[in-house]
Amino acid sequence: MATTTATPTTQSRTNTLKLFRANLQTFALVGALLVIWLFFTLATKNGVYLQAQNFSNLFRQMTITALMSVGMVLVIVTGNIDLSVGKLAGFISVVVAVFQARYWTRETAIPASEVHNPVFFILGLIAVLIILAVASRWYRQQEAKGSKPSQYGFPVVVVGIIAVTLLALWFVITPLVADLTGRVLTALVLEGSEALTTTISVIFALLLGVFVGIIQGFIIAYWRVPAFIVTLGGLWVFSGLITLVTEGKTIPANQPLFSGISQDYVPPTLGWMIAGAVVVVLVYSTFTGRQKKVRYGFELPPIAFDLVKTGVMALVVLGYVYIVNQYNGIPNPVLLLAIVAVVVGYMATNTRFGRYAYAIGGNREAARLSGVNIRRNVFFIFVLMGFLCGVAGTALASYVGYGTIAAGQGYELDVIAACILGGTSTLGGEGTIFGAMIGALIMASLTNGLQMLNVQPGYVYMLKGAVLVAAVLLDVQLKKNR
Amino acid sequence: MTHDTNDIILDVQHVSKRFGGVTALNDVSLQIRRGEIHGLCGENGAGKSTLMKILAGVYPHGSYEGTILYEGRELRLGESSIRQAIEEGIAIVYQELTLVPSMTVGENIYLGKEPVERGSINWDKLYAQTKDILAKYRLEIQPQAVVKRLGVGKMQMTEIAKALSENARIIILDEPTSALSEAEIDKLMEILAILKEHGVTCIYITHKLDEFFRITDTVTVLRDGKIVTTRPTKELDQHQLVNYMVGREMTERFPKGNRKPGEVILKVEDLHALEPDSEREVLKGVSFDLRKGEILGIAGLMGSGRTELVMTLFGEYGRINRGKVILDGKSLDVHNSRAAMSCGISLVPEDRKRHGLVLMQSILKNISLANLDRFSNWMRIDENRELSESQKFAKSLSIKTPSLQARADSLSGGNQQKVVISKWLMSQPKVLIMDDPTRGIDVGAKYEIYRLMNDLAEQGMAIIMISSELEEVLGMSDRVMVMCEGHSTKTLDIKEASQEKIMRLATGLE
């Protein structure tokens, strides 16, 4: 009697233990986050730290770096790095600010002649994009024919140089023409329609990000210059562009609709509706997932396990909405981040694109021999990274309300730190977007809490550094003992 | 030359070692006499490597039970135990070489113990000492040669010289011949004899059974962490040795298939190809044909272009500058592995750790990696289908693992190889190329892979098998194509093939 009842219990216990062990890193991260929250709640007066207003701010503060961390995880997973993200987002935020300040409003602090015209800049970009598209198509044909790089490398380099020169020309010699076109366009078409102008700003920001991603990705993936070097170069180029565009001045970008992107909130009722929809989808997918497994004749995980998992996720969503609704509702950028993280997270685990990225980072040679097109995959990861920098840059401009010379300064390090803290291996092949999000949240929680306790910024930096190193040290130790 | 037969240099007494719940070594006792060559034999996972790692200090004293007497004293390797083991005179030459490729032979030998005078390295002294060591043991390498330009055999000599420079009294050789050509193996055997003359004790681990009979004095067989037997080599034969290893009667090493080769599926005519990114011709005229349902063995020495040939057919190596490849009546023109796969060619690569597996990923992901296209609906991967298909292969190849979610590096070599084979069978090839499919795996797993190859051929698949072991080529193939210096010499029918014949063709004597 005793033995028959004991066996299943011990088995389920070892199963639970196994599941726990497998997800140790995730639990450790979430645990660390909860400890940090608990500490600051106890340390701040009346537990102000975790009250609705600060809780809401906490999440919003992390969004800009976290948006970029989503892409950075995949970049690092493939064994690459992107050092240019901070400055790129900064550059994009400045350009968006120029759009907002210079073209969509008449009364502006900056005289027309001082800023280069982004409309013409767009045309320049499109021209270069076309050149690059043609070049890459031709390049791929050559590759398919099996020609040697030395036979087609030279023309490709020439095309690249021409493309960059053209871009520079558009920038330098066309402000006059551009200015005129911009004025006419503004006067004729866009005057007065804030929805339209804001949309154009945002689309342009995203396109700019994608464009930079294409250039950097192309150089890294197809010309095989190490990502570290290409993006280090990019960092300086974007610093230079920021200086050129701002000319050291602050460019306001504070039109109501545009500011709303990062500063407004989802109305509480809508917030509840979104939360409800998420919960319904969660429950539905859990049950259909089980049904599908049954159809394939797989062994099902215990129902209790699935229920707890779904329940916890649902509670987190509902709890979050409950708390932030006591203040103003879900901050727009947090919702944006959630959507981006879920979509890219899904891509990372459930599409070939994502799977290949992990395989490339895990063993490049094995991936290549398994028919993975490594160059194309790495290229598109940098394009995605650029796109996300576009998103982050827009959010940044909207959040701070202006474009300055310091925009995005040092963000790349926060972005990388969030990934590493979240368990991404610097050697490639390992890392999750969920982990990076928790990593970003831990960093934001620390900074926010220490500021509330009026700790000097110097100490805040030191503590962040120490936490990062300590976390990785702990991870190394845990892996050794496993 | 003669040594006291009772002069025991190493006495392992009741050693056990556990990893968590797994017992890797169970009450192992073993005596090794001074100056002998002691063979250590057993399937993968039998505990050979664990035992050697204890001796080499990878697992320090206290992490195992039992005692080890070395030169009559108890061996207690503590902190920085690997260094300590070397100082004690126990050196290990690993399967994967541990040299710095960009350094010279001399620099490598004295790495970490360079002769220093007044804070700077005395290079003349370093090279003079290197030369002395090399001369003493008759190792034919240049002290100033850069290691990466040497062949594998000479790299191994360097490694042995490095051990000798530390006054090693026991040298452990872990699978030293797995990457060597026949000629290099002969050379290694000579070196071992020279070491023996100088009274150096060797522990010799290998999967190639004939080598035990060529060189060792005593053989110890391990199975499942226990010593099965220790006997003088003279009293053993191959058949007995295999039985000790697997613990069961194994009637034949190569299962006989019932293959009926059909029509020609792949025809290669006078193939010439250049090395990637250079103008050097590596394939200088290869011709052969391959039939449905047959196993074609490709034999040849290291550097004869065997691997280069199959990688070129797979679209991942050279550029073809002359000759034709015809698959199924159509000219084959592939420039990457994806294209080769879609034409129906699969390749199980030579080095499974470097080219076959993503070790840190799950078995499941490794099996499905090359086949994700089949499980994808537009963008999404159908994970249920992926799992159920992979399970079919895991089951039919009997991959031994508690779960397909386990990491690939948790498997033994034989099971890892089965994962690689599963991956390539899943793409349903017409032609399966296997580059040294049984390299470094144990007898039992080898047998299973041979049986699988038979089954596949009987079902009509055309298989090309490269092998460094002549016995394997002779045991498994229907025909043998012999390569020599980048060109094909002759395709022998298995009835007319023999080890001598193949060697003569491979060395260009015929």
Side-chain angles (χ1 to χ4, degrees):
Chain A
M1 203 38 197
T3 42
T4 45
T5 49
T7 334
T9 345
T10 35
Q11 188 156 23
S12 74
R13 199 178 296 156
T14 49
N15 273 342
T16 324
L17 203 70
K18 239 186 232 164
L19 276 169
F20 180 74
R21 280 240 184 89
N23 296 303
L24 190 61
Q25 206 173 28
T26 316
F27 287 124
L29 273 173
V30 174
L33 180 65
L34 294 178
V35 169
I36 290 168
W37 282 359
L38 186 70
F39 171 78
F40 284 119
T41 311
L42 294 177
T44 48
K45 210 189 243 172
N46 302 329
V48 146
Y49 182 76
L50 267 199
Q51 279 175 13
Q53 184 179 356
N54 193 55
F55 191 72
S56 173
N57 283 338
L58 190 63
F59 276 80
R60 191 166 54 188
Q61 278 163 3
M62 81 172 216
T63 48
I64 288 156
T65 47
L67 276 168
M68 292 187 276
S69 296
V70 171
M72 188 65 82
V73 169
L74 291 179
V75 169
I76 299 178
V77 157
T78 53
N80 288 295
I81 192 78
D82 193 337
L83 299 174
S84 70
V85 290
K87 284 293 179 186
L88 175 56
F91 171 56
I92 291 171
S93 81
V94 165
V95 171
V96 170
V98 168
F99 262 81
Q100 289 295 321
R102 170 74 184 79
Y103 294 104
W104 315 143
T105 35
R106 283 294 172 84
E107 60 287 350
T108 157
I110 301 172
S113 60
E114 285 189 19
V115 182
H116 303 303
N117 191 318
V119 174
F120 243 72
F121 186 54
I122 299 182
L123 294 176
L125 288 189
I126 293 169
V128 175
L129 270 177
I130 292 169
I131 292 170
L132 270 178
V134 171
S136 69
R137 198 185 149 78
W138 183 74
Y139 182 88
R140 218 175 301 149
Q141 281 168 355
Q142 292 299 311
E143 206 178 44
K145 273 193 237 157
S147 310
K148 270 192 320 160
S150 59
Q151 285 168 348
Y152 56 76
F154 181 69
V156 170
V157 172
V158 171
V159 169
I161 291 170
I162 292 172
V164 175
T165 320
L166 271 179
L167 189 65
L169 282 180
W170 279 119
F171 239 103
V172 179
I173 65 166
T174 56
L176 252 177
V177 194
D179 195 53
L180 203 68
T181 333
R183 274 164 194 270
V184 171
L185 211 63
T186 312
L188 287 182
V189 189
L190 301 168
E191 179 74 355
S193 170
E194 209 186 337
L196 195 60
T197 55
T198 307
T199 312
I200 292 179
S201 295
V202 172
I203 289 176
F204 180 66
L206 301 183
L207 276 181
L208 187 56
V210 168
F211 173 73
V212 170
I214 288 174
I215 293 189
Q216 291 196 357
F218 197 85
I219 297 173
I220 292 162
Y222 288 92
W223 293 347
R224 295 179 214 176
V225 183
F228 186 92
I229 290 159
V230 173
T231 58
L232 182 64
L235 187 152
W236 282 327
V237 169
F238 303 131
S239 294
L241 286 172
I242 291 174
T243 319
L244 280 176
V245 173
T246 59
E247 295 178 331
K249 298 188 182 69
T250 297
I251 307 161
N254 49 10
Q255 295 74 9
L257 192 63
F258 182 74
S259 300
I261 295 174
S262 279
Q263 295 183 13
D264 271 0
Y265 299 85
V266 179
T269 332
L270 187 60
W272 277 121
M273 283 159 72
I274 293 172
V278 169
V279 171
V280 168
V281 169
L282 274 175
V283 173
Y284 176 78
S285 63
T286 306
F287 282 97
T288 49
R290 286 180 77 87
Q291 275 167 6
K292 275 186 200 151
K293 279 193 179 148
V294 170
R295 222 174 299 147
Y296 276 94
F298 293 149
E299 202 183 317
L300 286 173
I303 182 95
F305 174 76
D306 271 353
L307 282 179
V308 168
K309 200 169 114 184
T310 316
V312 168
M313 285 197 280
L315 270 181
V316 168
V317 173
L318 292 172
Y320 176 78
V321 172
Y322 174 75
I323 296 177
V324 294
N325 272 358
Q326 289 179 350
Y327 183 57
N328 281 332
I330 308 170
N332 279 340
V334 175
L335 185 63
L336 180 70
L337 172 65
I339 294 169
V340 166
V342 167
V343 169
V344 180
Y346 184 84
M347 275 165 67
T349 50
N350 291 296
T351 67
R352 277 165 287 177
F353 173 71
R355 285 286 190 85
Y356 289 162
Y358 284 88
I360 292 169
N363 186 344
R364 205 179 165 87
E365 284 302 297
R368 187 169 63 86
L369 288 177
S370 299
V372 176
N373 190 333
I374 293 178
R375 293 180 200 178
R376 194 168 66 189
N377 201 283
V378 169
F379 172 71
F380 278 113
I381 279 173
F382 276 93
V383 174
L384 176 67
M385 185 74 245
F387 174 78
L388 291 173
C389 286
V391 178
T394 313
L396 177 65
S398 161
Y399 184 50
V400 295
Y402 47 78
T404 69
I405 196 158
Q409 181 84 43
Y411 281 20
E412 60 278 350
L413 301 180
D414 283 333
V415 170
I416 295 168
C419 297
I420 305 296
L421 196 60
T424 306
S425 162
T426 44
L427 300 173
E430 283 176 303
T432 62
I433 284 158
F434 176 76
M437 294 301 99
I438 302 287
L441 192 52
I442 286 179
M443 282 296 186
S445 301
L446 270 177
T447 318
N448 176 293
L450 292 169
Q451 277 164 358
M452 287 191 93
L453 295 179
N454 286 325
V455 176
Q456 274 186 35
Y459 291 114
V460 177
Y461 278 120
M462 284 169 66
L463 201 76
K464 273 165 79 175
V467 164
L468 178 67
V469 176
V472 175
L473 178 69
L474 194 72
D475 189 46
V476 170
Q477 293 297 325
L478 281 176
K479 275 189 184 138
K480 208 161 56 175
N481 293 336
R482 210 177 284 168
Chain B
M1 275 290 279
T2 51
H3 299 286
D4 181 2
T5 46
N6 292 320
D7 184 6
I8 305 293
I9 185 166
L10 190 74
D11 191 356
V12 178
Q13 296 175 342
H14 307 291
V15 166
S16 297
K17 166 87 187 159
R18 285 179 189 86
F19 297 99
V22 184
T23 305
L25 288 178
N26 190 356
D27 194 23
V28 165
S29 297
L30 176 66
Q31 294 183 328
I32 291 171
R33 281 175 285 121
R34 186 184 307 282
E36 75 168 342
I37 299 178
H38 195 115
L40 203 56
C41 160
E43 295 191 38
N44 278 357
K48 293 169 305 196
S49 301
T50 311
L51 182 59
M52 292 308 110
K53 280 180 180 165
I54 287 176
L55 295 180
V58 177
Y59 304 128
H61 180 84
S63 70
Y64 56 88
E65 293 160 31
T67 45
I68 296 170
L69 295 180
Y70 171 65
E71 299 276 19
R73 296 175 287 110
E74 190 180 352
L75 188 68
R76 284 169 176 273
L77 302 173
E79 286 294 312
S80 68
S81 46
I82 299 176
R83 186 70 235 157
Q84 225 180 319
I86 293 169
E87 276 159 19
E88 288 279 356
I90 302 175
I92 185 158
V93 177
Y94 287 103
Q95 202 170 346
E96 285 96 16
L97 300 173
T98 53
L99 300 170
V100 183
S102 56
M103 288 187 173
T104 65
V105 170
E107 283 175 282
N108 265 292
I109 291 176
Y110 281 96
L111 188 63
K113 51 178 195 293
E114 296 87 352
V116 174
E117 271 163 31
R118 275 174 269 112
S120 65
I121 297 172
N122 184 341
W123 291 106
D124 294 336
K125 194 172 164 193
L126 187 150
Y127 284 113
Q129 286 177 354
T130 305
K131 211 173 164 192
D132 289 344
I133 293 170
L134 296 175
K136 184 176 171 195
Y137 297 98
R138 283 174 265 153
L139 299 168
E140 289 151 13
I141 17 177
Q142 293 298 321
Q144 312 252 13
V146 176
V147 163
K148 67 179 166 201
R149 303 221 177 85
L150 299 174
V152 191
K154 295 208 164 168
M155 287 189 191
Q156 203 160 48
M157 283 187 206
T158 310
E159 192 106 13
I160 292 170
K162 190 175 169 180
L164 293 168
S165 74
E166 306 261 9
N167 297 316
R169 277 174 281 181
I170 298 183
I171 293 183
I172 300 166
L173 295 142
D174 191 357
E175 296 259 4
T177 58
S178 62
L180 299 190
S181 67
E182 295 287 334
E184 286 169 330
I185 292 174
D186 290 343
K187 186 72 208 163
L188 179 72
M189 295 296 157
E190 277 173 40
I191 293 169
L192 289 180
I194 295 168
L195 293 182
K196 195 171 164 182
E197 273 174 39
H198 284 85
V200 178
T201 312
C202 285
I203 300 178
Y204 192 89
I205 302 174
T206 184
H207 277 116
K208 300 185 187 168
L209 300 185
D210 60 318
E211 286 168 10
F212 287 119
F213 299 96
R214 275 178 79 176
I215 195 75
T216 62
D217 303 301
T218 317
V219 177
T220 293
V221 182
L222 274 165
R223 191 203 316 147
D224 302 330
K226 287 186 202 137
I227 300 266
V228 181
T229 185
T230 299
R231 289 171 70 179
T233 316
K234 288 189 289 255
E235 299 172 11
L236 283 163
D237 63 35
Q238 284 217 17
H239 184 73
Q240 279 174 303
L241 205 52
V242 171
N243 287 344
Y244 278 129
M245 279 169 70
V246 295
R248 59 181 178 269
E249 195 63 31
M250 194 172 272
T251 46
E252 49 184 1
R253 277 179 62 196
F254 303 102
K256 273 284 152 273
N258 179 28
R259 301 192 286 267
K260 295 182 197 73
E263 78 241 43
V264 172
I265 183 164
L266 180 74
K267 198 167 176 62
V268 176
E269 283 169 18
D270 193 32
L271 188 71
H272 290 247
L274 304 176
E275 205 177 43
D277 303 325
S278 89
E279 292 297 327
R280 200 170 75 89
E281 208 174 56
V282 277
L283 297 179
K284 306 160 189 162
V286 179
S287 306
F288 67 91
D289 52 15
L290 176 70
R291 293 166 188 281
K292 275 186 182 168
E294 84 166 339
I295 299 176
L296 175 73
I298 297 184
L301 302 173
M302 281 271 160
S304 63
R306 302 174 309 188
T307 299
E308 289 79 358
L309 167 65
V310 292
M311 288 294 253
T312 304
L313 293 179
F314 197 53
E316 283 290 345
Y317 186 73
R319 282 163 295 126
I320 297 172
N321 63 342
R322 187 137 64 87
K324 263 191 289 192
V325 182
I326 297 158
L327 179 75
D328 245 355
K330 270 171 276 169
S331 175
L332 183 75
D333 184 30
V334 294
H335 296 289
N336 55 51
S337 55
R338 177 170 283 259
M341 280 160 65
S342 65
C343 292
I345 300 178
S346 276
L347 183 136
V348 175
E350 184 181 17
D351 187 334
R352 66 177 162 272
K353 284 187 181 155
R354 270 180 55 206
H355 298 137
L357 293 167
V358 185
L359 286 168
M360 62 168 72
Q361 287 192 348
S362 67
I363 299 167
L364 173 67
K365 283 185 180 168
N366 270 293
I367 295 179
S368 62
L369 179 61
N371 306 287
L372 288 177
D373 291 357
R374 332 163 124 255
F375 308 125
S376 300
N377 320 321
W378 192 58
M379 282 279 277
R380 194 179 72 89
I381 294 168
D382 185 339
E383 290 185 313
N384 289 317
R385 250 178 63 210
E386 179 192 6
L387 180 60
S388 93
E389 287 284 311
S390 304
Q391 272 178 347
K392 272 184 217 157
F393 281 93
K395 205 173 159 199
S396 73
L397 270 73
S398 58
I399 296 171
K400 291 186 198 82
T401 171
S403 155
L404 288 190
Q405 301 296 347
R407 279 167 56 132
D409 53 10
S410 69
L411 297 175
S412 67
N415 280 308
Q416 284 183 354
Q417 189 70 336
K418 288 185 203 164
V419 172
V420 180
I421 296 175
S422 301
K423 168 163 91 175
W424 289 112
L425 285 183
M426 197 186 256
S427 64
Q428 296 173 334
K430 292 182 240 171
V431 175
L432 177 66
I433 302 170
M434 302 174 102
D435 194 347
D436 225 348
T438 63
R439 174 164 155 187
I441 67 178
D442 59 66
V443 179
K446 272 186 184 177
Y447 192 81
E448 285 181 66
I449 285 173
Y450 295 146
R451 259 213 330 243
L452 176 74
M453 289 167 71
N454 271 336
D455 289 348
L456 292 171
E458 276 167 31
Q459 289 158 24
M461 194 179 288
I463 298 176
I464 295 177
M465 179 189 71
I466 293 182
S467 176
S468 308
E469 289 179 53
L470 288 179
E471 282 181 41
E472 185 173 275
V473 174
L474 290 169
M476 287 307 296
S477 318
D478 295 302
R479 290 182 303 144
V480 184
M481 194 267 273
V482 187
M483 287 191 71
C484 173
E485 290 172 2
H487 60 87
S488 56
T489 54
K490 206 172 179 185
T491 305
L492 303 166
D493 196 85
I494 197 66
K495 291 185 201 91
E496 50 170 337
S498 68
Q499 294 213 14
E500 293 72 34
K501 182 109 180 155
I502 291 174
M503 280 318 290
R504 290 173 72 87
L505 285 169
T507 49
L509 288 174
E510 220 172 87

